[in-house]
Amino acid sequence: MKEAARQARAESRIIGLVPTMGALHVGHLSLIERARRECSPVIASIFVNPKQFGPNEDFSKYPRTFESDSEKLQDAGVDFLFAPEPREIYPEGFATYVNVDGLEGRSRPGHFRGVTTVVMKLLEIVQPNFAYFGRKDAQQSRLITQMARDLNLDTEIVVCPPVREADGLALSSRNVYLNAEERKAAIVLYRALEATRSELAAGVRYALQLQAVLQRTLGAERRARVDYAEIVDAESFEPVVRVSKPCYVLLAVFIGKTRLIDNLYIEPKSPGSEDLVFHF
Ligand code: AMP
């Protein structure tokens, strides 16, 4: 991979990298499409990163569909697929981690350290001009942008909007875990975001009031168990009292045993304005 990337750099080509964990869906393909508009070659990586899974999480049963993934990538016009083995990425004695201070996730300890470490390694191996990430994983995108800035990386981090099913459910590799009943129940995340948007559009600004709407909407679905449902500052990811700056409504909800995340990005129409723009 390093050799191929070095060659592309020597030819002054614009390299785009799209890191994934495989089990590819249209959300991943939207990142590749965007990369193809801006870069050549486009490199996709597939690596189910053991270091970002907790001890009781789904690392061993995470969906692995390598054959169909590589077909999808070929059809999407990807130039290189980088799919290393865990022992290549983490050889015996591996000891160096990248940690972004102050932005650690509360609900999955160690998860983001695993993410930033592997993304740093992928960025170092490929040294792309652009790397593409989904805003569906809002905190992840925020951390990677911070890491690239703090470590003077030559890669520009591009954050792309989430792709959703017709009923609003954000595409995720983990959606395959849902049975038919759970799949129906899973739209409660989108419903909760939509209910919050509606309150905000009606002029409600206090997080406590918005939180009540979230709890009420999510609480109405008996298959849903809330991990977190918060309104946070888009920079610090700290809970806000009032929505007046760019914010996220952040959701992590278990539907049965499957943990799903989603978010709504909110920003004032112009700095200081009470008019808001909503990004699902
Ligand atoms: P994953 O394979 O889940 O690690 O995701 C790989 C990349 O695809 C990450 O940057 C995700 O944020 C992004 N991604 C995941 N789901 C979606 C989606 N529904 N729409 C757009 N991008 C997504």
Side-chain angles (χ1 to χ4, degrees):
M1 185 70 261
K2 278 198 164 194
E3 196 48 56
R6 216 175 273 139
Q7 179 73 33
R9 272 198 303 283
E11 294 166 7
S12 302
R13 295 169 71 188
I14 307 291
I15 304 177
L17 174 67
V18 181
T20 81
M21 298 206 299
L24 299 179
H25 51 65
V26 175
H28 297 116
L29 299 181
S30 74
L31 303 183
I32 285 161
E33 246 168 64
R34 171 81 188 265
R36 289 242 300 158
R37 288 203 294 274
E38 298 168 353
C39 310
S40 170
V42 169
I43 298 166
S45 65
I46 297 182
F47 182 65
V48 184
N49 175 30
K51 294 209 185 282
Q52 71 187 66
F53 288 80
N56 299 316
E57 294 182 359
D58 56 345
F59 174 69
S60 59
K61 71 174 178 87
Y62 193 82
R64 287 165 172 87
T65 55
F66 188 79
E67 290 302 315
S68 71
D69 286 351
S70 48
E71 269 171 37
K72 284 179 189 169
L73 293 174
Q74 210 150 22
D75 292 347
V78 160
D79 300 282
F80 296 96
L81 164 56
F82 180 45
E85 292 294 325
R87 66 176 180 283
E88 294 178 275
I89 294 294
Y90 303 115
E92 191 71 15
F94 181 88
T96 306
Y97 292 84
V98 179
N99 194 47
V100 178
D101 255 6
L103 284 166
E104 308 85 357
R106 279 179 294 271
S107 88
R108 295 178 76 190
H111 166 68
F112 285 119
R113 180 176 99 136
V115 170
T116 43
T117 300
V118 80
V119 170
M120 185 63 212
K121 285 181 61 93
L122 294 170
L123 294 176
E124 182 54 34
I125 291 165
V126 174
Q127 298 181 30
N129 301 79
F130 296 91
Y132 297 83
F133 295 88
R135 203 198 66 226
K136 194 215 142 206
D137 298 276
Q139 191 159 5
Q140 168 173 298
S141 308
R142 169 75 188 87
L143 281 162
I144 290 166
T145 307
Q146 181 78 38
M147 174 181 82
R149 189 193 308 158
D150 290 351
L151 298 182
N152 308 94
L153 303 188
D154 277 330
T155 301
E156 185 169 326
I157 305 300
V158 183
V159 180
C160 308
V163 177
R164 299 174 177 281
E165 302 276 9
D167 65 0
L169 177 66
L171 296 186
S172 161
S173 302
R174 290 191 167 96
N175 291 352
V176 300
Y177 297 149
L178 303 169
N179 65 31
E181 291 301 306
E182 290 168 344
R183 172 62 187 82
K184 272 187 222 149
I187 64 171
V188 75
L189 282 89
Y190 183 75
R191 205 180 293 138
L193 297 178
E194 174 51 35
T196 313
R197 185 207 59 80
S198 162
E199 289 295 293
L200 283 158
V204 175
R205 290 290 180 275
Y206 283 98
L208 272 178
Q209 285 171 283
L210 299 168
Q211 207 100 45
V213 173
L214 284 174
Q215 295 301 341
R216 198 179 327 123
T217 316
L218 295 166
E221 173 51 65
R222 69 179 178 85
R223 287 187 169 80
R225 181 166 58 81
V226 178
D227 181 359
Y228 58 74
E230 289 178 348
I231 295 110
V232 301
D233 181 281
E235 281 286 304
S236 69
F237 277 75
E238 289 296 328
V240 298
V241 173
R242 189 175 184 283
V243 173
S244 56
K245 284 190 298 181
C247 288
Y248 283 104
V249 181
L250 279 191
L251 300 183
V253 177
F254 284 92
I255 303 290
K257 288 196 168 104
T258 306
R259 184 175 177 278
L260 300 179
I261 60 171
D262 204 344
N263 67 78
L264 168 63
Y265 178 57
I266 309 158
E267 57 180 348
K269 222 168 220 161
S270 54
S273 162
E274 280 289 306
D275 281 346
L276 302 174
V277 185
F278 303 99
H279 303 272
F280 280 93

